[in-house]
Amino acid sequence: IAACIAVKRTLPIILLLLNKVSLETKCEKSLEASSLLDHINFEFLFCLHLFCETLHELQIVSDYLQKSDSDLSSSSSLVNALILHLNEYRNDIEKFSILIKEVNLTAKNNNIKNLETQKLVRTKKLPANLAYYLTETISESRKIQNYDDLRLMIFYPVIDRIVNELNRRFKINSPILNGISSLNPKNSTFLNFDNILPFARHYGVDTDSLEVELKLLPKLIKRQKEENNYEIKTILDFAKLLDNYKMAFSETFILCKIAIIIPPSSAGVERTFSSLRQIKTYLRNHMCNEKLTSVAILKIEKRISKSLNLDIVVDKFASIHNNRRIVL
């Protein structure tokens, strides 16, 4: 997304530079610059605007999934909302028209011909004796000549490919993810037994007890809100409430803990490996596993490490080793 935005913002400068390079006859890269200028046409501008629009929305979801404090229920709801938004964006003709207007404005500002001013390419008719032979690739069989071709050959395939990839990655365990989402108070299916049932069966929770607990929980939540003014907004708030009644709502409390513990992505694990690379360097190659584990914990849990009182740590270390000559 950063590369697309950078190209979009600096497009006039890029075109100016390519024009200067292409006019230099003695330059070896003039041919490459001319070729790049030929490819920066209306189709290129359309793809650039489309990718800036869609990748920006994908980046928002991706950044949230990589946060250390993100939970799986909110992540699942966010991904479902993104898929719904992309499907609506695909079928909205008005938004496509707005996108075309933006592309036309960019083309006008950079002296690039739009589809209306471009010459129509005459469709070549294949000779009868070659009718049953493959003479060109599928991509070369049809040229984009109007806005309908843009929508059918670029806009729809790009959106469909993104949606299919999101469905492939996040819809494999869709019943389980829906069950986790139903433990989120902001979800419309909050405490819905039918949605939570696949999630409960997957982790071997007693479904009969769970069904009874889910019937009693709305009354408990309502009572806590009226008497103690305790409002549940997130799954963490819901888990804190269940912690006080975990003997009565043991099955629901187990599912809440599982939903909170499961990471929405592997970003945390990747950060752990990055920390190990910083700790065990070439000069620390002979570090034993016990020391490496201890240092890695301090590095990974740096929030807790920074909150430690070092004076207490030093005093405790000095009290363990009484035979030290230097007083710490």
Side-chain angles (χ1 to χ4, degrees), residues 140-153:
E140 296 174 346
S141 60
R142 183 179 175 184
K143 301 295 182 180
I144 295 177
Q145 299 184 5
N146 50 48
Y147 297 144
D148 291 335
D149 292 341
L150 277 176
R151 185 168 65 251
L152 295 175
M153 299 175 65

Side-chain angles (χ1 to χ4, degrees), residues 186-204:
K186 293 183 179 180
N187 199 301
S188 59
T189 60
F190 180 53
L191 299 180
N192 188 303
F193 176 72
D194 294 332
N195 286 6
I196 300 176
L197 185 59
F199 177 43
R201 286 176 176 173
H202 183 75
Y203 286 98

Side-chain angles (χ1 to χ4, degrees), residues 32 78 154 163-164 184 197 207 219 244 282-283 285 298:
E32 297 179 4
L78 190 61
I154 298 179
V163 172
N164 290 335
N184 191 347
L197 185 59
T207 55
K219 298 179 181 179
N244 300 326
Y282 178 77
L283 297 176
N285 194 25
L298 292 174

Side-chain angles (χ1 to χ4, degrees), residues 276-310:
L276 288 176
R277 181 180 288 273
Q278 295 172 0
I279 294 170
K280 194 168 185 178
T281 60
Y282 178 77
L283 297 176
R284 299 173 184 165
N285 194 25
H286 297 287
M287 185 186 298
C288 62
N289 291 332
E290 184 178 357
K291 184 178 180 181
L292 177 63
T293 303
S294 301
V295 176
I297 291 174
L298 292 174
K299 174 66 176 177
I300 296 167
E301 303 294 341
K302 57 184 178 181
R303 292 183 181 177
I304 303 175
S305 302
K306 290 180 179 180
S307 63
L308 294 175
N309 191 344
L310 296 181

Side-chain angles (χ1 to χ4, degrees), residues 11-236:
L11 185 61
I13 302 174
I14 294 173
L15 292 174
L16 181 62
L17 181 61
L18 289 175
N19 278 316
K20 287 185 177 181
V21 174
S22 63
L23 294 176
E24 296 179 3
T25 55
K26 295 182 180 180
C27 182
E28 296 180 356
K29 296 184 178 180
S30 60
L31 185 61
E32 297 179 4
S34 301
S35 178
L36 288 174
L37 285 173
D38 292 337
H39 284 84
I40 301 178
N41 50 16
F42 192 83
E43 297 175 23
F44 173 82
L45 295 180
F46 180 80
C47 293
L48 183 63
H49 281 74
L50 178 60
F51 287 142
C52 287
E53 182 77 19
T54 54
L55 292 179
H56 180 68
E57 297 166 354
L58 290 172
Q59 187 185 23
I60 295 174
V61 179
S62 178
D63 291 342
Y64 180 79
L65 292 176
Q66 295 179 24
K67 285 184 177 180
S68 58
D69 57 346
S70 61
D71 58 272
L72 194 58
S73 60
S74 301
S75 302
S76 177
S77 302
L78 190 61
V79 171
N80 290 331
L82 176 62
I83 294 174
L84 181 62
H85 170 72
L86 289 175
N87 286 325
E88 292 177 353
Y89 181 67
R90 179 190 185 278
N91 299 322
D92 196 341
I93 304 298
E94 185 178 353
K95 291 183 179 179
F96 178 78
S97 302
I98 295 173
L99 180 62
I100 289 294
K101 290 180 181 179
E102 294 177 356
V103 177
N104 280 323
L105 181 61
T106 305
K108 183 179 179 181
N109 294 334
N110 294 280
N111 296 323
I112 297 176
K113 294 181 180 180
N114 55 20
L115 293 180
E116 296 176 353
T117 57
Q118 289 181 1
K119 294 182 179 180
L120 296 177
V121 180
R122 184 170 62 90
T123 305
K124 297 180 181 179
K125 189 176 181 180
L126 196 66
N129 58 338
L130 299 177
Y132 299 100
Y133 294 91
L134 183 63
T135 59
E136 59 185 3
T137 61
I138 298 175
S139 60
E140 296 174 346
S141 60
R142 183 179 175 184
K143 301 295 182 180
I144 295 177
Q145 299 184 5
N146 50 48
Y147 297 144
D148 291 335
D149 292 341
L150 277 176
R151 185 168 65 251
L152 295 175
M153 299 175 65
I154 298 179
F155 184 72
Y156 286 163
V158 169
I159 301 297
D160 291 342
R161 184 65 180 269
I162 294 174
V163 172
N164 290 335
E165 187 66 20
L166 289 172
N167 287 326
R168 185 184 69 83
R169 287 177 176 266
F170 295 97
K171 292 292 184 179
I172 296 176
N173 297 320
S174 182
I176 299 175
L177 293 177
N178 289 335
I180 296 174
S181 300
S182 297
L183 294 174
N184 191 347
K186 293 183 179 180
N187 199 301
S188 59
T189 60
F190 180 53
L191 299 180
N192 188 303
F193 176 72
D194 294 332
N195 286 6
I196 300 176
L197 185 59
F199 177 43
R201 286 176 176 173
H202 183 75
Y203 286 98
V205 174
D206 187 2
T207 55
D208 295 332
S209 301
L210 178 66
E211 185 176 7
V212 177
E213 292 175 8
L214 294 178
K215 291 179 180 178
L216 297 176
L217 274 171
K219 298 179 181 179
L220 175 64
I221 295 172
K222 184 178 179 181
R223 182 179 177 183
Q224 289 290 327
K225 185 177 180 180
E226 293 176 353
E227 295 181 358
N228 302 326
N229 197 20
Y230 184 77
E231 188 174 357
I232 299 175
K233 296 182 180 180
T234 63
I235 191 172
L236 291 175

